[in-house]
Amino acid sequence: MTGLFITFEGGDGSGKTTQIARLAAALRAAGRDVVTLREPGGTVVGEGVREILLDPAHEELSPMAELLLFTASRAQLSLTVIKPALDAGKIVLCDRHADSSVAYQGYGRGLDLAMVRAINTWATGGLVPDRTIVLDVEPHAGIAAATPHTADRLEREAIAFHERIRAGYLEMAAAEPDRIVVVERDATDAVWSGVLAALAPVLARAGITLGA
Ligand code: TYD
């Protein structure tokens, strides 16, 4: 059995968690071994790095330090958890991966896109998802979903930052149509059928059919 690496991307509050939980349940019901992970985090080291990254007190964090911290968490997760799980034939569902750094630190912060990609290729040992779903949502609608007084450091950024990220994801999807699929986030049921349709080809290759 071949492993399958599926990632979910999108702006803050785009509803990734709900879709990942539903997909994990459906795949488990189909008898597959599923691992769900999130970034930053997913390892003891990564959860520590996550606290540093999301703490609103760390306003002074430079874009490059931010990139390297996200990527450090990803290196740990990719090499010690994701790759071994894929080698064991499991399906790995990850809430964000390297595309988040291209979108947030590249398009959002303005760091050089080629550099962000190169650092990530090095840090993950060249790991690339089999398929990536971008849940697309209007930035203001998405961010409003987060409770304002508990908003983390990145959620507090200006709307223009989140608009650059959204445009970045759409550009990335247009550049890699065979891997990255955009699913509009409107009514919940439409999102789930969009996710199923986007995954159908890779799931079929792994011998899996999921009904709506
Ligand atoms: P999280 O609470 O996991 O948010 P979400 O539910 O939106 O995924 O916080 C992760 C935040 O970190 C989110 O604002 C996106 C941002 N981020 C980056 O800026 N770069 C990255 O490489 C990753 C993985 C996340």
Side-chain angles (χ1 to χ4, degrees), residues 34-71:
V34 181
V35 179
T36 60
L37 301 166
R38 71 162 179 191
E39 280 204 13
T43 61
V44 175
V45 169
E47 292 295 331
V49 173
R50 178 183 178 89
E51 277 186 33
I52 298 172
L53 279 164
L54 299 187
D55 189 341
H58 295 161
E59 257 174 45
E60 79 289 359
L61 195 61
S62 75
M64 188 52 124
E66 183 181 85
L67 169 71
L68 293 171
L69 284 167
F70 276 117
T71 311

Side-chain angles (χ1 to χ4, degrees), residues 7-26 28 36-39 50 93-96 133-135 145 155 185 188 191-192 195:
T7 59
F8 284 74
E9 297 281 351
D12 295 64
S14 55
K16 294 178 275 89
T17 317
T18 309
Q19 298 303 318
I20 290 173
R22 198 164 172 181
L23 180 61
R28 286 186 183 121
T36 60
L37 301 166
R38 71 162 179 191
E39 280 204 13
R50 178 183 178 89
L93 307 181
C94 200
D95 187 339
R96 302 191 179 282
I133 310 261
V134 171
L135 292 178
E155 284 164 348
R185 200 202 83 162
T188 310
V191 177
W192 173 240
V195 168

Side-chain angles (χ1 to χ4, degrees), residues 12 16 39 50 70 74 96 100-101 104-105 152 154:
D12 295 64
K16 294 178 275 89
E39 280 204 13
R50 178 183 178 89
F70 276 117
R74 180 168 305 126
R96 302 191 179 282
S100 278
S101 280
Y104 281 74
Q105 282 64 55
D152 66 40
L154 286 118

Side-chain angles (χ1 to χ4, degrees), residues 105-125:
Q105 282 64 55
Y107 288 95
R109 299 281 187 222
L111 292 180
D112 180 69
L113 296 176
M115 180 198 65
V116 175
R117 289 196 169 102
I119 287 174
N120 271 281
T121 302
W122 176 69
T124 62

